[in-house]
Amino acid sequence: MKFTLDDNHRAELEKLANSGMTPVLIAQRAKILLLKDAGKSATVIANEVGVSRHTAELWIKKYRTRSEVDSIENLLNVGKGRGRKEEITGEAKTWLISVACTQPKD
């Protein structure tokens, strides 16, 4: 099955891949999809982007199996629940910052 991006998705991916403000992981994922659209294999894409072949295949598969209502940004982001959980709550951070920013009493 041939991999093709629709014009709107291609434009959005090019914008993400070429923007200096895009997080590196999101830019890599956008480049993976753009290179696949250009007809390159997962191995070539992996070498060009600097990821494993498995990672390239994963993001290509995610794009192919996306739902019609998914935006490109939602597709390329990693879902909540990944990574280390916060040990300090937002409320505790706020208190700590307020204490650190107050003038010491003589």
Side-chain angles (χ1 to χ4, degrees):
M1 174 169 58
K2 185 165 170 39
F3 183 91
T4 55
L5 296 170
D6 68 37
D7 292 335
N8 294 334
H9 288 174
R10 186 178 300 106
E12 194 171 345
L13 289 168
E14 286 173 353
K15 180 180 168 187
L16 289 170
N18 297 323
S19 171
M21 300 302 292
T22 304
V24 174
L25 288 177
I26 303 297
Q28 281 181 336
R29 295 167 188 166
K31 288 175 187 173
I32 288 168
L33 296 176
L34 289 168
L35 290 170
K36 185 62 180 174
D37 187 52
K40 298 195 177 188
S41 71
T43 303
V44 172
I45 293 169
N47 289 334
E48 285 189 33
V49 177
V51 297
S52 69
R53 182 183 53 79
H54 175 75
T55 299
E57 289 172 347
L58 172 77
W59 289 102
I60 293 164
K61 181 181 176 183
K62 281 187 181 229
Y63 182 81
R64 281 188 169 141
T65 60
R66 76 193 185 289
S67 70
E68 293 299 318
V69 295
D70 278 342
S71 70
I72 288 295
E73 294 223 10
N74 286 343
L75 177 72
L76 298 180
N77 285 321
V78 175
K80 299 273 188 217
R82 303 286 308 252
R84 186 174 180 175
K85 305 295 184 242
E86 284 189 358
E87 294 178 12
I88 300 176
T89 64
E91 187 176 300
K93 285 181 188 177
T94 303
W95 175 80
L96 184 61
I97 291 169
S98 70
V99 169
C101 294
T102 57
Q103 290 288 344
K105 296 182 182 175
D106 290 334

